[in-house]
Amino acid sequence: MSMLSKIDRFTGHMYMQGDFKKVNISPSQTALNNQIWFIKYPLANYLRFKPEQPSIAFKTGTFVHKSYQDILIGKMKIADVEPAYKKILESHKFSEKEQAKGNFLLERIKKYVENHLQMLMEISGSYMKDWQVEKAFYDWYDDEYIGQKLEIINEGSIDSYNSKLKIFTEHKNRFGSVYLGKKGTYLYRKPTKIKTPQFTHLIAVAVYFQHFEKKYQPALIYVDEDGAMLFNAQNCEDLTPKGLEYYFHKFIQINIQRQQMLRMAEGDIRKLACMIGIDWSDLRHKDSNIFLSHMQEEDVKKIEEFYNEL
């Protein structure tokens, strides 16, 4: 495929015209339902949403990922984890409940990072050399669905991989929750144990498996304060080549379906809004929706006004 055709595939007109400008895709976006995807990406860009309120789960998850990665490649020591996390808690203004959760996680943060590293040691047979982290990639595909190809590049990054061992890993954290006790103080509740991988994460692993041309073995790791749960082809059918092929096809289907909606909208976000619609109960009770809970209230009002004027 020539460089010109690569550029052509990247700039499919339905992504560039009118109100949309450019709508990129990624494994994490793909697994969102259409309503959440529309709100958080095309509509947020069009209505110029403000940055979301800080999420302790997001900040902590990002921190744990970067910490285990930096230790893995020799840029950080485990003794640095707690002081560095404390600085994050001090540098952001969280809600009272979010701050309480952060304080509980501070007591556990070192263990989270250690559990990621311990699981890497187990799956690599204690061979801790040659690991690399945050492999950025930009891939396009020739797979067809409803007679179309995906006309935009897929962007992402892979948590860690080892070219000698032919292994790549996807890491997830399971944080507990906090609740207000009878005495008016916040208490901590441990996370439930995961039994099967989440759809979102299987989509991501399937895309990464394709990126490595199906030559690397996938490992999906879920960590909490007590340890780590490993899913791979040996204990999870979804992570076999056949299982990952299924999830990759879902990735293609979802994104080509959205591509078709963008094409039908002809650059008009109002047309796209009419195709997708909004479940208003989700917005009215956004605090109970993990994907909407940190939206600014004024941006919720913008959505109401936008739909009222369609």
Side-chain angles (χ1 to χ4, degrees):
M1 189 177 290
S2 70
M3 180 58 70
L4 179 59
S5 60
K6 289 181 183 179
I7 295 173
D8 288 343
R9 288 287 297 276
F10 183 75
T11 56
H13 74 279
M14 75 289 298
Y15 295 99
M16 302 296 292
Q17 63 180 334
D19 298 327
F20 303 121
K21 309 306 178 189
K22 174 182 177 290
V23 181
N24 71 313
I25 63 171
S26 68
S28 58
Q29 287 185 37
T30 300
L32 299 174
N33 65 45
N34 281 339
Q35 172 194 238
I36 299 297
W37 167 78
F38 176 64
I39 290 173
K40 292 185 72 69
Y41 294 96
L43 191 59
N45 182 60
Y46 178 77
L47 295 179
R48 298 184 179 181
F49 284 3
K50 287 190 171 183
E52 293 189 346
Q53 300 169 16
S55 160
I56 194 65
F58 179 80
K59 295 289 184 185
T60 306
T62 301
F63 174 82
V64 171
H65 269 72
K66 189 173 189 310
S67 296
Y68 101 76
Q69 290 172 333
D70 284 351
I71 292 171
L72 189 62
I73 61 176
K75 292 176 62 178
M76 186 179 187
K77 295 179 180 179
I78 193 68
D80 300 328
V81 170
E82 286 185 10
Y85 183 65
K86 191 174 182 180
K87 288 182 179 179
I88 288 179
L89 296 180
E90 294 171 347
S91 62
H92 292 86
K93 188 175 181 180
F94 296 104
S95 68
E96 182 182 35
K97 186 176 181 179
E98 293 271 285
Q99 184 66 48
K101 183 173 179 177
N103 292 337
F104 282 115
L105 289 175
L106 176 61
E107 301 169 4
R108 298 159 170 81
I109 197 70
K110 182 179 175 182
K111 197 63 181 173
Y112 271 90
V113 176
E114 288 175 337
N115 289 340
H116 280 288
L117 294 167
Q118 179 62 36
M119 183 52 73
L120 279 177
M121 185 175 293
E122 290 181 22
I123 67 175
S124 60
S126 299
Y127 184 85
M128 295 300 282
K129 298 179 181 179
D130 303 317
W131 281 97
Q132 299 181 66
V133 300
E134 284 301 303
K135 178 178 175 57
F137 68 88
Y138 306 89
D139 291 342
W140 57 96
Y141 311 100
D142 289 319
D143 305 69
E144 291 191 0
Y145 179 63
I146 56 173
Q148 297 185 40
K149 293 181 181 179
L150 193 56
E151 296 186 17
I152 191 168
I153 208 159
N154 175 40
E155 307 173 24
S157 63
I158 299 166
D159 286 346
S160 47
Y161 64 102
N162 191 305
S163 298
K164 184 171 183 177
L165 298 174
K166 292 291 189 289
I167 296 172
F168 74 88
T169 60
E170 174 77 349
H171 295 249
K172 300 299 174 184
N173 298 291
R174 304 277 294 174
F175 300 125
S177 58
V178 295
Y179 63 98
L180 202 57
K182 293 181 179 179
K183 296 182 179 180
T185 58
Y186 283 101
L187 303 175
Y188 184 79
R189 183 186 291 116
K190 284 188 175 184
T192 57
K193 299 298 181 182
I194 193 164
K195 296 180 179 179
T196 57
Q198 295 179 19
F199 177 80
T200 305
H201 306 150
L202 290 167
I203 287 278
V205 172
V207 169
Y208 305 157
F209 189 60
Q210 290 285 329
H211 175 78
F212 282 119
E213 299 178 339
K214 305 179 183 180
K215 296 176 181 177
Y216 282 53
Q217 294 299 311
L220 180 51
I221 299 167
Y222 291 90
V223 162
D224 61 23
E225 62 203 75
D226 296 326
M229 180 66 189
L230 167 68
F231 294 102
N232 57 23
Q234 284 67 54
N235 67 1
C236 179
E237 187 176 351
D238 286 333
L239 291 170
T240 63
K242 183 178 179 180
L244 292 172
E245 190 70 17
Y246 169 86
Y247 287 98
F248 180 71
H249 285 321
K250 291 304 175 193
F251 169 83
I252 293 294
Q253 290 172 11
I254 291 167
N255 282 294
I256 289 181
Q257 181 254 343
R258 287 177 181 166
Q259 175 176 282
Q260 182 68 357
M261 287 195 298
L262 287 168
R263 181 177 282 118
M264 293 168 65
E266 299 178 315
D268 188 342
I269 200 164
R270 291 169 178 78
K271 290 183 180 180
L272 185 60
C274 290
M275 292 180 214
I276 293 176
I278 292 290
D279 184 337
W280 296 107
S281 64
D282 283 348
L283 276 182
R284 292 184 65 85
H285 304 286
K286 72 178 184 66
D287 289 345
S288 60
N289 186 311
I290 188 174
F291 299 110
L292 302 175
S293 59
H294 290 85
M295 282 180 59
Q296 301 284 355
E297 288 296 334
E298 62 186 89
D299 291 328
V300 175
K301 293 179 181 178
K302 286 181 181 179
I303 296 174
E304 291 268 10
E305 293 169 359
F306 171 78
Y307 272 89
N308 287 341
E309 295 173 0
L310 285 181

